[in-house]
Amino acid sequence: MTNKIRYVAINGSERVDGNNAHALEWSKYYLEKQDVILDIFSLAKFKIEPCGACGDCNFRNEPCIQNDDAARAIHLMEASDGVIFACAVHGFGATPLMSAFLERVGTGFLRHNRTLTNKVAGVMVTGRRMGHVEVYNQMLQCALLNRMILVGYGFPAILMGDKKGEVLRDQEGMEMLRRMLDRMVSMTRLIREYEHLTGQKALQVLEPGERHRMDEKGEFYVPSKLDMR
């Protein structure tokens, strides 16, 4: 219970000093006041290759063999209490950098063991006028697919701005970002407290291949292999 909460933010913008970076630096400062550490992993500063044409990831259970920094990002995400997926709008969609990253880590790494299960997730989007919702949904689906605990409070953390630093003047957007960060911290502390008091995981995790169904009484049960034929 004495270890500090630690999050990692994945900055999917090609601009290392753009609006995305400014909002994340504000988040880092804000979380520090709550004794929470935020590491920022800016994809633009690292080598992230797109998925190749091999197509092997869907047929084997080993991590992607491409030699880049995707595995480094995975290590930071796995070692954290939660992840903030942050991306700028690029051509009315996610940046090519973020799209490549989500595909690489999702197919090449995370799908094998779902190592982000029950980690807290937040999603933030910056951009001028259009495309925010589409980008938000892409990252949201990545978090849900990896069985993370997605938190928010009110409207999504969508920040409007064009020139560098303008998003910090979007009062409503910044308020939604602040609320999201507060909820992430509250959820992490709640999970930690429960697990400390009970010695059990806060949320049930199904083993690979298991799935829930409802019986005739409306109660959940895990079917046997015989039931699943």
Side-chain angles (χ1 to χ4, degrees), residues 94-182:
T95 64
L97 193 57
M98 189 59 146
S99 291
F101 175 78
L102 294 179
E103 183 179 19
R104 276 289 310 291
V105 301
T107 305
F109 295 91
L110 297 175
R111 76 174 181 85
H112 303 302
N113 298 306
R114 297 297 176 198
T115 50
L116 301 186
T117 296
N118 291 343
K119 292 184 183 295
V120 178
V123 177
M124 183 195 82
V125 179
T126 61
R128 184 184 177 192
R129 282 284 179 264
M130 295 174 61
H132 296 72
V133 174
E134 290 79 4
V135 179
Y136 186 91
N137 285 340
Q138 183 177 353
M139 294 187 289
L140 178 148
Q141 291 178 51
C142 174
L144 293 178
L145 180 63
N146 284 287
R147 306 168 189 170
M148 303 181 77
I149 304 170
L150 190 70
V151 300
Y153 192 100
F155 294 113
I158 288 176
L159 283 65
M160 301 285 187
D162 188 10
K163 295 180 181 179
K164 183 167 59 180
E166 276 189 354
V167 294
L168 300 180
R169 298 197 292 272
D170 177 6
Q171 294 185 1
E172 185 174 49
M174 291 298 295
E175 175 65 12
M176 294 307 108
L177 176 59
R178 183 192 66 78
R179 291 182 182 186
M180 183 190 79
L181 295 174
D182 286 344

Side-chain angles (χ1 to χ4, degrees), residues 202-217:
L203 292 173
Q204 182 183 10
V205 179
L206 294 179
E207 294 299 323
E210 290 184 342
R211 58 195 176 106
H212 273 162
R213 284 194 332 209
M214 296 184 72
D215 62 17
E216 50 275 344
K217 296 180 181 179

Side-chain angles (χ1 to χ4, degrees), residues 175-202:
E175 175 65 12
M176 294 307 108
L177 176 59
R178 183 192 66 78
R179 291 182 182 186
M180 183 190 79
L181 295 174
D182 286 344
R183 297 268 282 187
M184 288 182 68
V185 175
S186 295
M187 179 61 73
T188 301
R189 287 177 175 157
L190 185 65
I191 292 171
R192 283 190 171 194
E193 182 178 4
Y194 177 87
E195 293 180 350
H196 175 73
L197 292 175
T198 66
Q200 300 176 351
K201 290 292 183 182

